[in-house]
Amino acid sequence: MKQDSNAWSGQIGFVFSAVSSAIGLANIWKFPYMVGQYGGGAFLLLYLLFLLILGFPLLLCEISVGYESRAGVGRAYYILSKGSDFWKRWPKIIVFTGFIVGIYYACVAGWFVGYAFISLFGGLSQLETAQQARELFESFTSDPYLVTSCAVAFLIVCLAIVSQGVKEGIEKASRWLVPLLLTILIAMGLWVYYHLQTQIRHHPLLVCDFSKIHSKAILEAMGHAFFTLSLGQGTMVAYGSYLPLSKKTSIAKMAGWVAASDTIVSLMSAFCVLGFCQIAGIAISTGPGLVFETLPLLFNQIPMGYLFANLFFFLLLIATITSEISVIEPVILYLQQSFKMKRAKAIRLYCVAGFSLLMPLAYESTLPTFSEVSLLALFDTISTSLLIPLGGLITALFIPAAIGRRSLQKIIFSDNQQSVKKYYTSFGEFVLNWLRQLTAWVCVTLMPISILIVFFQALYSLCKC
Ligand code: PHE
């Protein structure tokens, strides 16, 4: 195990790692079916709007908090608020959220591990009917030993990467896995494009049906802008704190790269998954049914289906590994900074706590439930509907309360003072200044208001359940 220096190799290292964290199940699994369900291009436009007023500003703020304080969530808010007890206490919730999501994510990822193997050994090629696909999924998820061992194996691989440290573990893995993931997506995209030919005009992404946009679609788009950029769980704060201090560091540019790459991957995934459905003439389904029932069946109906089934499950596996390591890291950083633990000891502690929660959770997910809600579904609802928005809300309120618009603007655009002078005319400089002020204004006003709405709406729906 390495004693790391807690720093990326530079801005590119940061971008790779943050992009690899952002690309996950939300992009490859959830985004395509939301596009299919809520009016295609209409949902895309709605999502882009929330990306601009919610996701991107919060991303800027989280990275800035980490960069300025040089600390993870456990201490960052306390340091920047100059020792306020209030800001010492509340951000601990974010660490807790990261831990819960990490374990829950590992449980679901265990299913992908299992399916990647089933697919590799040809288990999916034999499926002919929807009934058979459902039975396979049910028999897989009701085998407690299989499900638990897949989840445990997944968590061990992720912890092994994290244990190698920030630069040697997380950054190195990301530098390998992100290009691999993009290559698979591009190959699948080209194949879909080739097979759709003139039918491409009817691809759901190119059809805008605004009648399908209702309050649920709006909330889903807001929630997605949050989750897909790995916000509200301390990941981007921790990653921001590993950025080397330098006059050339531009948080605005790096966040721009992360948000743009993440959106492009979501678009590519939606293009592929919805394109596969269009080629096979199958309607898109939602939730686990899409990945574990509809897609395996569909792969059997298209040319080179075996290859694509394997590529697809491999793609999901890479995306979950890179996301999982980024959920584990803030918790490790918290243990290191708040309890002065060595990285190795923090990882050991995570193993003990993580496995103690993971095993019953994975095991329980295989048992028939007595009430409507299983423990896994409860974790999902509580973390995505309550804890993550709460984590975002803490940062959203912290920025106007403790940093303010002017200081935030200076942090986000710290490199711009030199670059503006270099090649902009006075008009260009005026526009750029105006844009910078607008961005900072969105971060301190519009974004906190939107997050408050998301949070209370989520609370309301949770109480209604
Ligand atoms: N962004 C990841 C996804 O899209 C999920 C994630 C959330 C990862 C929070 C890390 C932290 O699936």
Side-chain angles (χ1 to χ4, degrees), residues 65-216:
V65 167
Y67 182 71
E68 270 303 284
S69 64
R70 319 302 302 153
V73 264
R75 293 192 50 77
Y77 299 79
Y78 177 69
I79 295 173
L80 293 182
S81 65
K82 308 210 168 46
S84 140
D85 267 351
F86 180 83
W87 292 113
K88 186 178 186 180
R89 227 171 290 134
W90 280 92
K92 288 192 180 127
I93 295 180
I94 305 180
V95 182
F96 174 73
T97 306
F99 178 66
I100 296 289
V101 174
I103 301 307
Y104 146 75
Y105 210 76
C107 250
V108 179
W111 296 352
F112 294 120
V113 175
Y115 260 64
F117 278 105
I118 296 178
S119 166
L120 193 66
F121 292 110
L124 299 182
S125 330
Q126 282 138 28
L127 300 176
E128 276 165 10
T129 61
Q131 176 70 11
Q132 285 174 344
R134 193 162 313 122
E135 276 169 15
L136 177 72
F137 182 56
E138 275 168 9
S139 80
F140 172 75
T141 50
S142 57
D143 183 336
Y145 298 109
L146 193 59
V147 170
T148 314
S149 0
C150 287
V152 168
F154 174 82
L155 194 56
I156 290 177
V157 170
C158 296
L159 280 167
I161 297 175
V162 177
S163 74
Q164 292 304 301
V166 175
K167 192 153 67 181
E168 289 301 309
I170 303 178
E171 187 180 324
K172 227 181 205 171
S174 307
R175 279 182 186 257
W176 273 97
L177 295 175
V178 170
L180 189 61
L181 185 141
L182 289 179
T183 313
I184 298 179
L185 262 181
I186 291 174
M188 293 203 314
L190 287 176
W191 185 92
V192 168
Y193 181 76
Y194 175 76
H195 278 82
L196 278 177
Q197 301 273 348
T198 53
Q199 290 301 308
I200 204 129
R201 286 180 284 137
H202 304 299
H203 192 289
L205 271 177
L206 299 178
V207 180
C208 276
D209 181 359
F210 284 98
S211 67
K212 298 244 173 80
I213 300 288
H214 37 72
S215 58
K216 187 150 185 267

Side-chain angles (χ1 to χ4, degrees), residues 142-404:
S142 57
D143 183 336
Y145 298 109
L146 193 59
V147 170
T148 314
S149 0
C150 287
V152 168
F154 174 82
L155 194 56
I156 290 177
V157 170
C158 296
L159 280 167
I161 297 175
V162 177
S163 74
Q164 292 304 301
V166 175
K167 192 153 67 181
E168 289 301 309
I170 303 178
E171 187 180 324
K172 227 181 205 171
S174 307
R175 279 182 186 257
W176 273 97
L177 295 175
V178 170
L180 189 61
L181 185 141
L182 289 179
T183 313
I184 298 179
L185 262 181
I186 291 174
M188 293 203 314
L190 287 176
W191 185 92
V192 168
Y193 181 76
Y194 175 76
H195 278 82
L196 278 177
Q197 301 273 348
T198 53
Q199 290 301 308
I200 204 129
R201 286 180 284 137
H202 304 299
H203 192 289
L205 271 177
L206 299 178
V207 180
C208 276
D209 181 359
F210 284 98
S211 67
K212 298 244 173 80
I213 300 288
H214 37 72
S215 58
K216 187 150 185 267
I218 296 177
L219 275 178
E220 294 253 23
M222 279 182 163
H224 185 71
F226 239 104
F227 195 69
T228 189
L229 289 175
S230 307
L231 301 168
Q233 294 163 65
T235 298
M236 292 301 170
V237 177
Y239 279 21
S241 77
Y242 298 148
L243 263 168
L245 279 174
S246 148
K247 283 217 174 76
K248 289 201 187 120
T249 297
S250 167
I251 293 181
K253 270 189 218 144
M254 283 183 293
W257 273 106
V258 176
S261 319
D262 181 74
T263 307
I264 290 173
V265 169
S266 289
L267 282 175
M268 285 165 76
S269 308
F271 178 74
C272 294
V273 172
L274 293 164
F276 283 140
C277 291
Q278 205 180 337
I279 293 167
I282 292 180
I284 184 120
S285 52
T286 59
L290 171 66
V291 176
F292 299 105
E293 293 168 24
T294 309
L295 285 179
L297 262 187
L298 179 158
F299 286 128
N300 289 339
Q301 294 172 26
I302 57 175
M304 293 162 69
Y306 172 74
L307 177 71
F308 283 109
N310 281 308
L311 281 181
F312 188 76
F313 280 105
F314 191 53
L315 178 76
L316 279 169
L317 214 54
I318 299 176
T320 39
I321 290 177
T322 51
S323 290
E324 176 74 12
I325 55 181
S326 76
V327 199
I328 297 175
E329 180 58 28
V331 184
I332 301 297
L333 184 62
Y334 170 71
L335 294 175
Q336 282 183 288
Q337 289 182 337
S338 300
F339 300 98
K340 307 270 169 285
M341 267 182 211
K342 291 244 162 23
R343 194 170 186 85
K345 189 166 174 204
I347 301 258
R348 278 202 296 275
L349 193 67
Y350 192 101
C351 281
V352 175
F355 289 130
S356 332
L357 186 61
L358 176 72
M359 298 231 230
L361 195 62
Y363 189 87
E364 191 267 358
S365 71
T366 67
L367 302 177
T369 46
F370 295 107
S371 62
E372 287 281 285
V373 193
S374 73
L375 201 56
L376 191 65
L378 194 70
F379 267 54
D380 179 22
T381 316
I382 291 187
S383 49
T384 51
S385 312
L386 186 70
L387 293 174
I388 297 178
L390 182 59
L393 187 63
I394 291 174
T395 309
L397 297 180
F398 177 77
I399 296 289
I403 297 190

